[in-house]
Amino acid sequence: MATQVMQERQLNFSPGPAVLPVPVLEHIRDELLCLPGAGASILEVSHRSKQYIEIQENAKASLQRLLGLDDSYDVLFLQGGARLQFSMVPINLLRGQPAPAQYVVTGSWGKNAVEEARREGKVEIVYDAKETNYDRLPLASELSFRDDAAYVHITSNETIQGVQFPSDVDAGPAPLVCDASSDFLCRPYDISKYGLMYACAQKNAGPAGVTVVVIRKELLERSGEDLPGYLSYNNHAQADSMWNTPPTFAIYVLGLVTRWIEETVGGLEKMHQRNQQKAALLYDLLDAFPEFYIGHAKKSDRSLMNVTFRFPNDALEAAFLSQASKHGLTNLKGHRSVGGIRASIYNAMPMEGVQQLASFMKDFATSNS
Ligand SMILES: *Cc1c(COP(=O)(O)O)cnc(C)c1O
């Protein structure tokens, strides 16, 4: 990138849309005026062109490799964000089913998902951490799922509260549906545990505009014939995500990000190690200054992606944010619903970026506590 522009780039801890890998941004810049072989920009070519179809197929193949998908799963590229999935999941998988869907509510997004599902059918809440202000995950002993549930829904990472399931949840015989919007591709998965996984791209996997849905093919049979066309998973699957014009640019960028994970990072195992090392830098500081940096999440349930904490008083919070911003550390303010600080350190946030934040936090705590 032109050095002047690079110097203006700050360390962006935004919860989403969020940081992207610099090599991906450089690649986009280099190809933006003319996609090799296409004679036009990616922003200008038809979704039916040979060059674009190859891009979408490559993005899908890359996801298939990263997630270890076999033929029993399909990958869809949709629009409407994770919010539309809050509706599409029950519209496709709950309508007409004899048994209810079960929801595990570990934070704000799960709560929103329940609200939409209730419009479509019967919902049971298996667990809700409301009483402790969504600071913890259920213990295995607190979860019991029905074998006949239409599906079981979890949110793998609650972006606002910073609470994350560290490994795959076992939902038993019912299909597990996972909102992985803010930690998609942050670690390897045992995908056979999932019936459906969805993720809007703009947190951990690309720009706003595309939502990935990984679905076990047998679940496509549940999409009713009478659904509005766009809302049917089966329609999108039969048309290879070309039932209508897909978000071509967002899929192109998502494909560059997944290739970056495969080729530069070295896969999801490596990605996970990197994420653990990054998060440890910040959580170690919370543990070193527990009365100064008051972590929101229970230790065992801390998110690798969104590190949330508050101060003993508002004046310290304001001082922290203003001094951080002078150090080029931006977008650290917590969500309006919970306050405090949230440092989002997604896949693309480099180790050096987290090191700079950690070093600032150490100095700030030392000189103010
Ligand atoms: C951001 C987010 C959403 C909402 O995504 P949209 O694309 O804005 O609809 C849903 N779930 C989780 C976990 C999120 O982080």
Side-chain angles (χ1 to χ4, degrees), residues 4 31 39 59 65 130 135 143 248 262 289 291 293 312 340 357:
Q4 191 191 344
E31 287 188 353
R65 287 190 298 269
K130 175 169 64 197
D135 66 344
L143 291 179
T248 50
E262 288 191 284
F289 301 93
E291 269 134 55
Y293 293 124
L357 174 59

Side-chain angles (χ1 to χ4, degrees), residues 43-60:
L43 295 165
E44 302 170 307
V45 297
S46 164
H47 60 298
R48 307 279 178 202
S49 64
K50 178 169 132 296
Q51 289 78 13
Y52 176 75
I53 290 174
E54 196 177 295
I55 284 172
Q56 187 166 313
E57 283 175 352
N58 285 341
K60 182 171 173 177

